[in-house]
Amino acid sequence: MINQAPIRLALFFGGVSSEHEVSCVSAAAWLRALRQPPCAGKYAVTAVGITKEGHWLRYTGPADKVADGSWQADTAALTPCVFSPDRSHHGLLLCREGGAPEVLPIDVAVPVLHGKNGEDGTIQGLFELAAVPYTGCGVLASATCMDKAAANTVMDAAGVPHCRWLAAGRYELEDGLEAVCRRVEAALPWPVFVKPANAGSSVGISKAKDRESLRAAIATALAEDDKVIFEEFIDGQEVECAAIGNPEDPASVFATRPGEILAGDEFYTYDDKYKNGVSQVVIPAHLSEAKLDEVQRLARKAYLALGCTGLSRCDFFVERGSGRVLCNELNTMPGFTAISMYPKLMENEGLSFSALADRLIELALHKRKGAY
C-alpha cells in the first residue's frame, strides 16, 4: 500500500476583529484536534496568526500559547509571512530577514477567524484569488450572513420566518437621528434590540426601552459598524442548530437537533458566551419533538437559502405562547471553544471534535469548482 503524503493545511487565527481573543481559543482547540485521530498524520499543519494590527506571522509553538494570547511573545516561533494571491505560489510566502521569500505551498486553508476580516468574505476572497480550497462558506454567503440587513432580506425572499426589523445607515443616523427614532417607534414596540449590521458574538448589541436608551444604543452600534439594525423583541426560547454540508449536494446538507443555552444575563452577551462561564448548554433543547423537527427543518432551509457551504450555526427564537419559530441569524464561523455550541451539537450527533474538523476539511477539498 502506498503511503500518501500529508495534506498541507494552513490554519489562520486571531485577526483584526473584536473577536480576536475568541478566535485564538477556537484555533487552539482546532490545533489540538488536528493531532488526534482521524486527523493525526493526515495533515501537515502550519499555523498563521494575524495580530490585531494586521501583521501575519507563521507560528510554530504550542497550542496553549495560542489560546492564552502569549503566542505573539514567543519570538523564536514566529516568522513574518503573507498569503500570496499568485496562483503559482498556491500558499504562503515566508519572509526571512536578509533573504528572498520562501514559498510554502498549501493544499487547504482553515480560517478559524470570527467577525470582521475573517468570516465576512474578505479572507475568503483572498483564497479564491489564489485558487486554494478553504473550509466554510464562500465570499457571498459569508458577506451576506455577516450583514444582518442583507441576510434578513434574503430570508424574506426565501420565506424563512424571522422577526420584524428595520435598518439605517450612518448617513441617515447622523443627519436625521430623531427621524430614524420616530420611524423605529412607529414600526416596532418597546423594547427594541439595536445591533451593528456587521459584527458577531453579540458585540455592540443593546436593548432599548425608550427614546433615550434608543439613542444610546444607536451610538454603541455605530462604534462597530456604519449600518444599524433594529429588531423587535421576541419573548422566546433561544435555540441553535449546527448545519454542515455543501449545497451542490443538497441531500447531504444536515442540520442537528437544536440545543439551547440558558444564559446567565438578560440576553446572551459576549461575556456569557466566552468569558464568565455561567451559561448552561442543553441538548436537545427543551421543546416538543414536533417543534424540534420544525427548527431543524428551518435551519436547513435557511442554510441553503443563504448559499452556505461547509458549516454554519443557525440561531432561532421559539416564541413563548404562539410557538412561532423565527430565525435570528446564521453564523458562518461559530465559536470552537470548549464551551461553544457548534462542536457540542455535532458531538451530540456522534461526531467528535477531531472527526468534525476532518469532515469540514473534506468538504472544502471536495467543494465543486465555482460553487463558492
Side-chain angles (χ1 to χ4, degrees):
M1 184 175 179
I2 299 174
N3 292 326
Q4 291 186 333
I7 295 168
R8 298 167 299 185
L9 180 153
L11 185 144
F12 299 82
F13 66 90
V16 184
S17 165
S18 58
E19 298 178 70
H20 177 100
E21 289 80 7
V22 180
S23 168
C24 291
V25 179
S26 292
W30 264 84
L31 290 170
R32 296 185 191 104
L34 290 169
R35 294 199 299 264
Q36 300 169 9
C39 295
K42 186 175 180 179
Y43 302 105
V45 179
T46 298
V48 179
I50 304 171
T51 70
K52 290 182 179 180
E53 295 74 34
H55 302 307
W56 292 46
L57 301 163
R58 183 181 69 165
Y59 173 67
T60 57
D64 289 349
K65 289 189 176 183
V66 173
D68 65 18
S70 62
W71 66 276
Q72 294 183 60
D74 191 0
T75 54
L78 300 176
T79 304
C81 66
V82 295
F83 188 89
S84 173
D86 189 322
R87 295 190 175 194
S88 68
H89 294 145
H90 210 262
L92 296 163
L93 298 179
L94 302 181
C95 306
R96 302 188 190 279
E97 188 173 351
E102 175 189 343
V103 178
L104 183 64
I106 65 171
D107 301 310
V108 63
V110 179
V112 187
L113 295 162
H114 306 310
K116 290 183 179 180
N117 304 301
E119 60 177 308
D120 58 359
T122 50
I123 199 166
Q124 289 78 11
L126 178 57
F127 298 146
E128 294 276 352
L129 289 173
V132 171
Y134 56 93
T135 56
C137 291
V139 174
L140 181 58
S142 297
T144 301
C145 290
M146 189 71 183
D147 188 311
K148 295 177 177 67
N152 285 350
T153 300
V154 172
M155 286 192 285
D156 282 342
V160 177
H162 60 91
C163 65
R164 289 179 292 170
W165 66 285
L166 297 171
R170 184 181 294 275
Y171 69 97
E172 297 174 88
L173 293 163
E174 291 185 347
D175 293 340
L177 176 62
E178 295 308 312
V180 173
C181 289
R182 287 193 295 271
R183 182 155 58 95
V184 171
E185 289 174 331
L188 305 174
W190 300 114
V192 173
F193 274 107
V194 183
K195 307 177 180 182
N198 290 274
S201 287
S202 305
V203 174
I205 296 179
S206 306
K207 187 178 180 181
K209 301 173 182 177
D210 52 30
R211 176 72 74 90
E212 182 179 357
S213 59
L214 179 62
R215 295 191 194 99
I218 290 170
T220 298
L222 283 176
E224 301 293 333
D225 194 44
D226 290 329
K227 191 191 302 181
V228 178
I229 303 297
F230 307 92
E231 294 180 344
E232 68 171 321
F233 167 72
I234 300 296
D235 180 16
Q237 189 174 343
E238 297 186 42
V239 299
E240 303 175 1
C241 290
I244 190 168
N246 289 345
E248 62 265 28
D249 182 15
S252 71
V253 174
F254 171 74
T256 66
R257 297 302 268 174
E260 66 179 310
I261 294 175
L262 306 179
D265 208 336
E266 183 178 8
F267 62 96
Y268 194 31
T269 64
Y270 179 92
D271 285 354
D272 210 18
K273 287 180 181 180
Y274 300 118
K275 292 183 179 180
N276 59 33
V278 300
S279 59
Q280 295 180 336
V281 173
V282 178
I283 304 172
H286 293 145
L287 293 170
S288 68
E289 286 299 315
K291 196 57 64 174
L292 289 170
D293 289 342
E294 184 180 355
V295 175
Q296 194 171 11
R297 176 181 58 80
L298 285 173
R300 185 176 181 278
K301 181 176 182 177
Y303 184 88
L304 291 170
L306 286 159
C308 296
T309 55
L311 78 156
S312 284
R313 193 193 68 230
C314 310
D315 300 349
F316 290 86
F317 296 113
V318 180
E319 190 174 39
R320 293 185 175 90
S322 71
R324 287 192 306 160
V325 176
L326 304 170
C327 186
N328 181 26
E329 64 179 355
L330 270 67
N331 188 312
T332 59
M333 181 45 70
F336 275 85
T337 72
I339 61 172
S340 293
M341 183 61 103
Y342 189 93
K344 283 184 175 293
L345 287 165
M346 285 296 181
E347 185 179 14
N348 188 65
E349 300 287 341
L351 209 58
S352 70
F353 198 126
S354 187
L356 173 60
D358 188 53
R359 175 61 179 150
L360 292 172
I361 297 164
E362 182 182 64
L363 286 169
L365 291 169
H366 290 90
K367 196 181 298 183
R368 178 171 56 83
K369 186 176 181 182
Y372 300 102

